[in-house]
């Protein structure tokens, strides 16, 4: 009980409460602007967290990302442009509801089930993480190697993209992570004589480049999205209790699937939303209504993506392996603030962990009133001209990346990664896999090389311990999954004309 | 910047080959079989395989088709050339901010980006003045980031 009270005291500090409120508003606004994703919102916050206390820093990351994931539903429902990739799965459905004159229902479902998903996900984090910490204490470099590789393989299972291109993106990220001298041998690699490269490529400039600068580049080449007509909304939450009762089973299934996908390293909110939406359609009693403005899929996928956001912290806190790009940023912040991820975090820093849970619950509760305010203000916020927003974002990219090390080289890196991200996205290479490769490269190599040295170059010990063989099996199934899916597609296509 | 899979695959093969080749030339750690070369070489070979498969068109069936652009929407002012402006402005910031100072560099950057995005001068100029001032207040004043003073030092 004492760690809990201590955690509560940590959260109720004035600076933490201000940080939660400010980052909530920031997350809601940025997430609602089309093209500005939750990852980008979080990445641009990192320089700000340098100057905050550890708990306030984590609170800003948690709150801003949760708000941005919900708020991505707003332009999705009103303009058919998903604000964040996690909303893309059900954007068409929400927009169809809006066209039927039920925008309140679509937005309210996004808000209500996001909040429920977030709270259920947090409870799963509270229950799962300490229990898994017990097991994780006995992990050796073999298990860590497989976990890191599993995370990377899961990150390549992105919806609507070629798995081979995703693996190539991931390998490119790993190659970029090789730059510098932070490798087990301490040898400078691929530095091309540039002293700034000796320290390696920091994830933040890479993230800001591929997620923010490339978005500004895209805005330059593409037409401005249509303006939102002014409208007055009726009651946002009016029918949500009815939906909760009617689709209770779907809601729990969405929560559950979201939790599972979140716990898997490397798989995050976007995948949870796609899987849950597909599942809702597959098992629905009225699948023909999907796509015509039917709330069932919204309930399940909306609950799922926010549930995965909280449970995605399980691998991040326990092993330092990110569940998605947002937790990849969060891990960096955790290290910076002396809360190094690992199983001992739950025993040695128990009060900080309780504070983290409380922040999650708090963020999901204040999401409802603030979200309603945001929906009502959406007509005004979404009218902000893109030609005024994007230049300021570009300036923030420059200043934010400079602030991470007071080094102008980071600004050059941001420009470089912007171009790389833009070219990759245009050609169908998923950038999230690249980023996770960069973030996890040194961890993967460290555990790979240490394991090989321990085993004297033998690969068999990688499969000998029970947990490591299980993780290896999971990794290989993630690798073979696209192949199986392809064979399944071929077989069912051959069967259907007959 | 959309090119064929054959080209991107080819680039990946070349990159993988370069990584494996330069990786293999890294000095080994005395008395240790596994040195700094192992990981880059492994990645290099992986990239060669992926690049070759992509160039051959394997895995295309998984890709979702690009959504068609609505033709009625007005095209941006500069067309496809505009995409180089954001990275170019970042380079400008990296090389000019020390001499020109933050406020002037940021003003030019925001103004050029705004105009390139089709903003009118009556909007672009106030944004280019107000934006940098707010960013400077937040980062230099509140977060104590040492932003360069340059030609026009901030009055606060």
């Amino acid at each position: 009980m004492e760690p809990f009270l201590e955690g509560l005291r940590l959260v109720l500090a004035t600076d933490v409460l201000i940080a939660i409120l400010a980052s909530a508003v920031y997350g809601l606004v940025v997430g609602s602007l089309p093209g500005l994703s939750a990852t980008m919102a979080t990445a641009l916050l990192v320089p700000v967290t340098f100057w905050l206390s550890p708990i306030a820093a984590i609170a800003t990351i948690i709150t801003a990302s949760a708000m941005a994931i919900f708020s991505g539903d707003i332009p999705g429902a009103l303009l058919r442009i998903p604000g964040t990739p996690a909303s893309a799965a059900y954007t068409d459905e929400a927009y169809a509801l809006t066209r039927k004159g039920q925008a309140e229902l679509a937005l309210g479902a996004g808000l209500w089930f996001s909040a429920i998903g977030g709270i259920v996900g947090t409870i799963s984090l509270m229950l799962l993480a300490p229990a898994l910490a017990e097991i994780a204490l006995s992990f050796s470099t073999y298990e860590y190697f497989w976990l890191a590789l599993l995370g990377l393989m899961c990150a390549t299972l992105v919806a609507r993209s070629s798995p081979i291109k995703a693996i190539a993106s991931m390998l490119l990220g790993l190659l970029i992570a090789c730059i510098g001298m932070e490798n087990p041998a301490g040898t400078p690699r691929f530095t091309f004589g540039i002293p700034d490269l000796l320290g390696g490529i920091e994830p933040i400039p890479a993230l800001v480049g591929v997620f923010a600068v490339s978005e500004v580049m895209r805005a330059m080449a593409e037409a401005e999205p249509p303006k939102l007509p002014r409208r007055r909304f009726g009651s946002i939450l009016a029918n949500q209790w009815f939906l909760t009762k009617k689709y209770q089973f779907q809601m729990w299934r969405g929560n559950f699937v979201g939790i599972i996908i979140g716990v898997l390293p490397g798989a995050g909110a976007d995948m949870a939303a796609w899987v849950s939406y597909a599942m809702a359609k597959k098992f629905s009693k009225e699948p023909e209504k999907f796509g015509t403005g039917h709330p069932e899929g919204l309930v399940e996928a909306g609950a799922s993506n926010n549930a995965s956001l909280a449970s995605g912290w399980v691998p991040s806190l326990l092993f330092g392996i990110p569940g998605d790009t947002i937790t990849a940023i969060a891990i960096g912040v955790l290290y910076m603030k002396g809360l190094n991820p690992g199983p001992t975090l739950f025993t040695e820093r128990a009060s900080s962990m309780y504070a983290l849970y409380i922040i999650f619950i708090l963020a999901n509760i204040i999401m409802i009133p603030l979200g309603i305010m945001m929906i009502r203000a959406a007509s005004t916020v979404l009218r902000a001209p893109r030609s005024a927003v994007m230049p300021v974002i570009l300036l923030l990219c420059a200043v934010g990346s400079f602030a991470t090390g007071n080094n102008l080289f980071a600004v050059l890196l941001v420009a470089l990664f912007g171009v790389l991200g833009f070219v990759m996205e245009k050609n169908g290479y998923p950038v999230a896999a690249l980023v996770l490769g960069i973030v996890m490269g040194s961890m993967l190599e460290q555990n790979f090389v240490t394991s090989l040295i321990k085993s004297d170059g033998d690969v068999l010990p990688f499969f000998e311990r029970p947990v490591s063989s299980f993780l290896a099996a999971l990794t290989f199934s993630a690798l073979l999954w696209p192949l199986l899916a392809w064979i399944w597609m071929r077989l069912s296509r051959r069967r259907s004309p007959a | 910047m959309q090119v064929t899979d054959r080209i991107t695959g080819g680039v990946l093969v070349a990159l993988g080959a370069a990584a494996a080749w330069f990786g293999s030339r890294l000095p080994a750690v005395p008395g240790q079989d596994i040195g700094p070369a192992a990981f880059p070489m492994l990645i290099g070979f992986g990239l060669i395989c992926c690049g070759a498969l992509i160039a051959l068109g394997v895995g295309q069936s998984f890709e979702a088709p690009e959504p068609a652009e609505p033709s009625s929407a007005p095209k941006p002012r500069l067309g496809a050339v505009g995409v180089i402006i954001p990275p170019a402005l970042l380079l400008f910031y990296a090389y000019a901010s020390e001499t020109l100072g933050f406020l002037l560099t940021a003003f030019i950057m925001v103004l050029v980006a705004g105009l390139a995005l089709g903003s009118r001068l009556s909007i672009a100029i106030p944004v280019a003045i107000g934006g940098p001032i707010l960013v400077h207040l937040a980062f230099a004043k509140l977060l104590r980031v040492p932003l360069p003073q340059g030609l026009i030092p901030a009055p606060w």
Side-chain angles (χ1 to χ4, degrees), chain A residues 86-105:
Chain A
S87 310
Y90 48 85
T91 294
D92 284 344
E93 192 79 66
Y95 186 66
L97 269 170
T98 303
R99 287 193 27 195
K100 274 164 62 179
Q102 294 177 310
E104 292 85 358
L105 188 73

Side-chain angles (χ1 to χ4, degrees), chain A residues 3 87 138 178 240 289 313 337 404 491 496:
Chain A
S87 310
S138 62
C178 284
Q240 298 313 323
K289 284 193 184 169
W313 282 67
K337 294 295 175 189
T404 52
L491 283 179
S496 56

Side-chain angles (χ1 to χ4, degrees), chain A residues 51 160-165 171-172 175 185 187 189 217 220-221 223 387 390-391 395 399 406 408 412 422 427 429 445 482, chain B residues 1 3 5 8 15 26 29 36 39-40 43 46 54 58-59 62-63 74 76 82-83 91 94 102 106 114 117 119 143 146:
Chain A
W51 286 267
R160 301 147 82 81
S161 153
S162 151
I164 297 170
K165 285 187 174 178
L171 288 172
L172 194 62
L175 187 62
T187 316
R189 291 188 304 202
M217 291 171 71
M220 291 277 174
S387 56
M390 286 300 182
L395 181 62
V399 181
N406 292 344
L408 282 169
L412 294 180
F422 180 78
N427 290 293
Y429 290 82
E445 181 178 13
Chain B
M1 263 317 281
V3 290
D5 280 356
T8 59
L15 189 70
L26 287 168
V29 180
F39 201 62
I43 295 169
I54 290 165
V58 177
F62 284 89
E63 286 184 60
V83 296
L91 292 188
F102 172 78
L117 280 163
S119 182
L143 303 176

Side-chain angles (χ1 to χ4, degrees), chain A residues 7-353:
Chain A
L8 196 64
R9 196 186 59 80
L10 285 172
V11 177
L12 292 179
T14 325
D15 65 325
V16 178
L17 292 178
I18 293 174
I20 291 179
L21 202 64
S23 53
V25 174
Y26 165 83
L28 282 170
V29 171
V30 177
S32 75
L33 294 170
L36 307 186
S37 64
T39 307
M40 196 203 96
T42 324
L44 285 180
L45 262 185
V46 173
V48 179
T49 62
F50 288 175
W51 286 267
L52 298 176
S53 71
I55 297 299
I58 293 166
T60 53
I61 301 281
I62 292 175
T63 318
S65 57
M67 298 292 167
I69 295 271
F70 151 67
S71 161
D73 295 355
I74 298 176
L78 299 179
L79 293 170
R80 204 171 167 230
I81 306 165
T84 74
S87 310
Y90 48 85
T91 294
D92 284 344
E93 192 79 66
Y95 186 66
L97 269 170
T98 303
R99 287 193 27 195
K100 274 164 62 179
Q102 294 177 310
E104 292 85 358
L105 188 73
L107 288 167
L111 179 61
W112 179 248
F113 293 100
S114 285
I116 292 182
I119 291 173
V120 176
T122 310
I123 295 171
S124 79
L125 170 68
M126 288 158 69
L127 297 174
L128 278 174
L132 282 174
E134 295 280 322
I135 308 171
L137 275 173
S138 62
F139 278 16
S140 69
T141 52
Y142 299 113
E143 281 85 7
Y144 275 99
F145 165 74
W146 285 118
L147 264 177
L149 195 59
L150 174 65
L152 288 171
M153 286 319 301
C154 286
T156 64
L157 296 176
V158 196
R160 301 147 82 81
S161 153
S162 151
I164 297 170
K165 285 187 174 178
I167 293 175
S169 303
M170 183 264 280
L171 288 172
L172 194 62
L174 290 178
L175 187 62
I176 292 171
C178 284
I179 295 174
M181 48 191 292
E182 278 205 25
N183 52 68
T187 316
R189 291 188 304 202
F190 309 121
T191 53
F192 310 104
I194 303 169
D196 282 307
L197 284 180
L198 278 174
I201 304 272
E202 290 289 326
I204 292 298
L207 274 159
V208 170
V210 297
F211 285 107
V213 177
S214 70
E215 201 52 56
V216 181
M217 291 171 71
R218 201 160 328 159
M220 291 277 174
E222 281 170 13
E224 184 147 3
K227 281 275 165 282
L228 188 68
R230 279 196 188 281
R231 62 154 81 223
R232 291 197 66 81
F233 290 106
S235 172
I236 307 286
L237 292 179
N239 288 315
Q240 298 313 323
W241 187 239
F242 166 74
L243 280 184
T244 315
K245 277 195 289 190
K246 185 169 179 197
Y247 297 119
Q248 201 184 42
F249 179 71
Q250 283 85 341
M251 180 190 86
W252 286 113
R253 191 170 56 196
N255 281 328
F256 184 73
V257 170
I259 289 167
I260 301 278
I261 290 179
V263 170
L264 274 180
D270 353 356
M271 194 157 128
W274 283 105
V275 170
S276 283
Y277 185 78
M279 210 172 214
K281 190 174 178 181
K282 178 107 189 147
F283 294 111
S284 173
K285 289 195 190 94
E286 2 179 55
E288 70 286 351
K289 284 193 184 169
F290 275 71
T292 62
H294 184 56
E296 195 176 341
L298 288 185
V299 171
E300 187 155 345
S304 178
N305 63 8
N306 273 63
S308 76
L309 197 65
S311 67
W313 282 67
V314 172
S316 319
L317 291 171
L318 274 177
F319 314 112
I321 292 175
D324 53 17
T325 46
I326 292 173
T327 38
I329 303 169
I331 289 175
V333 174
L334 286 172
Y335 272 114
M336 205 163 61
K337 294 295 175 189
L339 289 165
N340 293 11
T344 50
L345 201 58
F346 294 87
T347 45
E348 284 166 14
R349 305 294 292 269
S351 57
S352 297
M353 290 301 104

